[in-house]
Amino acid sequence: MKSATFAGMEIPSIFNCSNDMALAANVRQYVPPKRIQQMEAELAALACVWEGTRFAGPWGWSLATKQRYRLMGVPMEMLPSDEWLEEVRRLSSREFAWRYLMQMLAAMKGDGLLGGEMNYWEKLPSLSEQDEGVTEAYPRGPPCRTRGGRF
């Protein structure tokens, strides 16, 4: 396996396309689904393509990536702190994206570019809870050819 320089130390490059799922799981011993494991194994050579470039190293950092490098023998002081990883996780969350989009919408003063109201739920509410106060709704889906795209 090729290596990259991170924080002044040579470390192996890894292709960890499951990083977003590992961020969501937020555990050190994350195991991706079998299909993702297979894809990572089949595309592991991609890490070599970026050898010696600024793209060398992991595709993203999570507790699982940190643990993987630790098990490879990389000293803890060379790896990102858990606090830094928690900030990466926060910035990668849907909640952060929703809050950022709401700020953009407010800054654009509702010019219609981003659509109407947007909601964020920690857990999915029931349909009856969602429908309270909804006066107009449009289903999303592919247009129906037989009816000219109307539902």
Side-chain angles (χ1 to χ4, degrees):
M1 185 180 288
K2 298 281 186 173
S3 62
T5 303
F6 178 74
M9 180 182 174
E10 291 282 319
I11 61 171
S13 291
I14 57 173
F15 176 69
N16 58 329
C17 62
S18 61
N19 189 66
D20 285 346
M21 292 183 286
L23 275 174
N26 200 32
V27 295
R28 293 184 193 284
Q29 301 296 329
Y30 175 74
V31 178
K34 291 283 186 202
R35 287 183 181 220
I36 302 300
Q37 290 179 39
Q38 180 181 355
M39 183 173 71
E40 286 181 339
E42 290 173 355
L43 298 175
L46 283 176
C48 299
V49 172
W50 292 289
E51 179 65 20
T53 72
R54 65 185 179 97
F55 302 111
W59 275 41
W61 284 101
S62 64
L63 289 173
T65 306
K66 180 179 177 179
Q67 177 72 356
R68 193 168 169 184
Y69 276 116
R70 192 187 68 70
L71 293 174
M72 289 179 191
V74 176
M76 287 297 286
E77 60 271 6
M78 303 304 295
L79 297 172
S81 69
D82 287 355
E83 294 77 23
W84 185 84
L85 290 172
E86 184 55 38
E87 182 65 4
V88 167
R89 186 171 184 267
R90 185 187 72 79
L91 293 172
S92 301
S93 72
R94 289 181 178 155
E95 180 180 5
F96 179 81
W98 173 76
R99 291 186 189 287
Y100 187 76
L101 285 171
M102 293 304 292
Q103 289 175 359
M104 286 177 53
L105 184 62
M108 294 181 347
K109 300 195 183 359
D111 67 0
L113 182 64
L114 293 178
E117 181 181 334
M118 291 179 270
N119 297 305
Y120 169 80
W121 291 285
E122 289 283 328
K123 61 180 184 172
L124 233 60
S126 70
L127 287 175
S128 60
E129 291 171 355
Q130 267 185 21
D131 289 340
E132 286 181 28
V134 174
T135 57
E136 191 174 282
Y138 299 96
R140 293 187 177 219
C144 177
R145 289 185 177 182
T146 59
R147 291 183 270 155
R150 292 181 295 278
F151 289 93

